[in-house]
């Protein structure tokens, strides 16, 4: 199973809105500071509430998540470029860039007050009307006309998640603490 890095945007119940969004990103090129060109592909899917999502995947990224600091740096740079294009994208309700962000939360989950502390992640972009329906959570700044966001903090390499030797050491530490 892959760990996909993407921009995922929820566009509501209107499939055509999601198609317009996907078309905005499909086949665009993103040039990294290293000179590498990354081309995006875009597709659609529906969530459990029958809302339409567009998923934009740049190539030139790991398909197994962030396994090195270099993966994190490349994905962060691609994330910044995707957010730049998102500012000019056709309408959507909310979006996020990252690893495994497909259907990161449904629309109704965003509206549930008890869910909010766990889902207001850096990089989340909300349509202003949705932000207001959510009782205007703090920490959001202007992103584009009619949109607010919690500023993106980039992708992170977590050595304890990627190294079996380091995981064994932390497990050993945790066992001796008991």
């Amino acid at each position: 199973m892959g760990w996909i890095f993407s921009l995922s945007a929820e566009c509501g119940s209107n499939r055509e809105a999601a198609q317009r969004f996907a078309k905005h990103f499909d086949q665009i090129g993103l040039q990294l500071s290293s000179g590498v060109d990354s081309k995006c592909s875009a597709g659609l899917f529906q969530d459990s509430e029958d809302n339409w999502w567009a998923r934009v995947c740049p190539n030139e990224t790991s398909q197994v998540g962030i396994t090195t600091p270099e993966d994190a740096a490349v994905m962060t740079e691609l994330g910044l470029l995707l957010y730049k294009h998102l500012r000019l994208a056709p309408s959507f309700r909310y979006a996020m860039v990252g690893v495994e962000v497909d259907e990161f939360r449904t629309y109704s989950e965003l509206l549930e007050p008890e869910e909010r502390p766990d889902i207001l992640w850096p990089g989340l972009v909300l349509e202003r009307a949705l932000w207001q329906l959510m009782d205007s959570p703090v920490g959001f700044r202007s992103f584009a006309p009619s949109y607010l966001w919690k500023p993106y903090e980039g992708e992170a390499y977590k050595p304890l998640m990627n190294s079996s030797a380091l995981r064994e050491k932390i497990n050993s530490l945790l066992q001796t603490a008991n």
Side-chain angles (χ1 to χ4, degrees):
M1 179 178 134
W3 287 81
I4 306 298
F5 175 79
S6 68
L7 160 64
S8 291
E10 197 263 31
C11 299
S13 61
N14 183 331
R15 181 178 184 173
E16 289 76 30
Q19 288 173 319
R20 283 190 299 276
F21 186 94
K23 185 177 179 181
H24 174 78
F25 283 94
D26 197 37
Q27 300 303 308
I28 65 164
L30 305 173
Q31 184 164 31
L32 296 167
S33 58
S34 64
V36 171
D37 286 318
S38 177
K39 188 169 264 189
C40 293
S41 60
L44 303 180
F45 65 95
Q46 263 187 307
D47 67 16
S48 60
E49 295 179 353
D50 294 327
N51 289 311
W52 287 96
W53 288 73
R55 176 191 309 116
V56 179
C57 297
N59 64 2
E60 303 300 330
T61 63
S62 165
Q63 297 296 302
V64 292
I66 300 169
T67 60
T68 66
E70 293 77 19
D71 288 343
V74 167
M75 290 181 195
T76 296
E77 187 173 1
L78 286 168
L80 293 168
L81 294 168
L82 288 167
Y83 279 114
K84 181 179 178 182
H85 282 279
L86 183 61
R87 285 187 160 159
L88 303 172
S91 65
F92 60 96
R93 292 199 295 192
Y94 56 99
M96 181 177 265
V97 168
V99 175
E100 293 298 302
V101 293
D102 294 350
E103 194 181 344
F104 56 91
R105 284 298 188 263
T106 62
Y107 185 76
S108 63
E109 287 173 325
L110 286 178
L111 296 177
E112 302 225 3
E114 59 274 1
E115 292 280 335
R116 282 197 210 119
D118 296 332
I119 60 178
L120 298 177
W121 303 294
L124 178 60
V125 179
L126 298 172
E127 185 178 45
R128 184 174 299 278
L130 175 55
W131 177 76
Q132 290 169 336
L133 280 173
M134 295 170 66
D135 299 322
S136 308
V138 297
F140 282 78
R141 298 170 41 175
S142 181
F143 177 75
S146 301
Y147 291 93
L148 298 153
W149 78 327
K150 272 204 129 158
Y152 182 58
E153 295 177 355
E155 304 306 311
Y157 169 64
K158 297 180 180 180
L160 291 175
M161 299 281 296
N162 294 296
S163 166
S164 58
L166 292 175
R167 272 196 311 278
E168 286 176 21
K169 288 181 181 187
I170 190 68
N171 288 338
S172 173
L173 260 174
L174 293 171
Q175 289 173 357
T176 59
N178 292 329

